[in-house]
Amino acid sequence: MTFVRQGAPWIVGLFASSAAAGCVPPGNATPSDAGAPTSTTAPRPAATTAPTMPSPDVMRAPFEDDFEHAERPTGLAPAGGAAEAGAVPPPDAAELDPGPDWVPTVAGVWHVENGRLCGEHAKNHGIWLKRTLPVNARIEFDAVSQAADGDLKAEFWGDGRSFATALSYTNATSYLTIFGGWHNTFHVLARINEHATDRKEITVDKNSDDPREKPAMAGQLYHFKVERSDGKTVRWWVDGNEMLTYPDPAPLVGLGHDHFGFNDWDVKVCFDNVRVAPLP
């Protein structure tokens, strides 16, 4: 069963770091953070016609990354330098740097492992793709959670540098998809605030015959697709099943809303086979 909620703040992400940054993990939260938004959430301002700043250097050709590139292992000496004796792990066990196309918002969390981009205990400090998205684009990737909590999260049309700066991730700059969030109780498509009353959501039911309502299974690889083709409507598919749609009267476009990235709270998650394609 799908529930649609109305009213949410539209706020700009904060950039100052915080020792308490992050979002309360799904299911391990105070009542206000347990999935059901609180009634104190302010309504989102009405759509405006104010012009947006166009994004510079917008990508014009598809981008792909299968994370098979062999960047040097994280924490080791640069090429030509001397690593400490015994510090170099076998190649198949090395944690590799994600490479120059990706910008992590915290050190030591995001790495390439066995040909996949993985993160754990990120506390909503994600990793962003450097490429600048056009207003209309299609983003595809594979994703797997290593825990029964699911909690596969990605951000779309954000600013390419923000992260949570408070206990709850209410200050994103993007649309967010969360597959198996809140201890695998909701699949969510949200705007700016993943707890907002206007987020689109599906209640998870492991006994349902509807594939959209199934929980995220630990160790199962899922294929995600998110696209916007009309400048205002974000659509989300998992394994070919259309999950949720977010028609936005005040769409996130232009400078500050032109990047894509992955995120995580606590469980280990991995991503692979990224493909980003501009749309007309």
Side-chain angles (χ1 to χ4, degrees):
M1 181 180 298
T2 303
F3 298 89
V4 177
R5 303 187 172 187
Q6 301 297 325
W10 187 63
I11 55 178
V12 179
L14 304 176
F15 308 125
S17 61
S18 169
C23 172
V24 175
N28 297 329
T30 60
S32 65
D33 218 16
T38 66
S39 59
T40 57
T41 303
R44 186 197 327 149
T48 68
T49 57
T52 58
M53 293 288 291
S55 302
D57 303 320
V58 171
M59 59 185 298
R60 300 183 182 276
F63 167 84
E64 297 183 358
D65 197 343
D66 61 6
F67 301 106
E68 295 295 339
H69 44 76
E71 295 293 325
R72 68 182 180 86
T74 57
L76 301 186
E84 293 182 9
V88 180
D92 59 348
E95 292 186 352
L96 306 178
D97 188 275
D101 290 308
W102 298 90
V103 182
T105 61
V106 63
V109 169
W110 295 96
H111 60 272
V112 173
E113 177 183 322
N114 297 320
R116 292 176 176 175
L117 175 66
C118 299
E120 187 175 11
H121 311 311
K123 301 297 186 283
N124 277 323
H125 285 63
I127 185 168
W128 294 95
L129 179 65
K130 281 186 179 179
R131 306 300 175 93
T132 304
L133 300 179
V135 171
N136 293 328
R138 178 182 299 118
I139 300 104
E140 297 183 77
F141 55 87
D142 296 329
V144 60
S145 173
Q146 303 298 333
D149 278 353
D151 209 22
L152 291 165
K153 182 183 297 188
E155 301 192 48
F156 307 86
W157 288 283
D159 68 1
R161 56 180 176 173
S162 289
F163 50 87
T165 58
L167 188 63
S168 293
Y169 198 16
T170 60
N171 63 332
T173 58
S174 61
Y175 303 100
L176 304 103
T177 60
I178 309 169
F179 188 63
W182 293 270
H183 264 319
N184 235 333
T185 56
F186 293 103
H187 306 315
V188 166
L189 172 56
R191 178 190 188 278
I192 301 292
N193 177 0
E194 64 185 35
H195 305 282
T197 55
D198 76 335
R199 74 183 191 186
K200 316 305 177 184
E201 67 180 37
I202 294 171
T203 301
V204 171
D205 180 0
K206 66 180 181 180
N207 297 314
S208 174
D209 293 329
D210 188 339
R212 300 173 304 162
E213 297 178 356
K214 295 291 187 181
M217 302 299 293
Q220 180 170 332
L221 192 68
Y222 295 94
H223 184 73
F224 284 60
K225 179 174 73 171
V226 171
E227 73 173 36
R228 181 167 60 186
S229 60
D230 64 355
K232 60 184 179 181
T233 305
V234 178
R235 302 172 67 192
W236 173 33
W237 292 260
V238 175
D239 287 348
N241 300 302
E242 185 162 4
M243 300 291 291
L244 295 163
T245 300
Y246 198 114
D248 192 352
L252 304 179
V253 298
L255 189 64
H257 300 296
D258 49 12
H259 284 79
F260 149 73
F262 297 115
N263 215 325
D264 170 65
W265 171 252
D266 193 51
V267 302
K268 184 175 182 178
V269 293
C270 295
F271 303 94
D272 201 1
N273 299 318
V274 173
R275 189 176 194 277
V276 182
L279 296 178

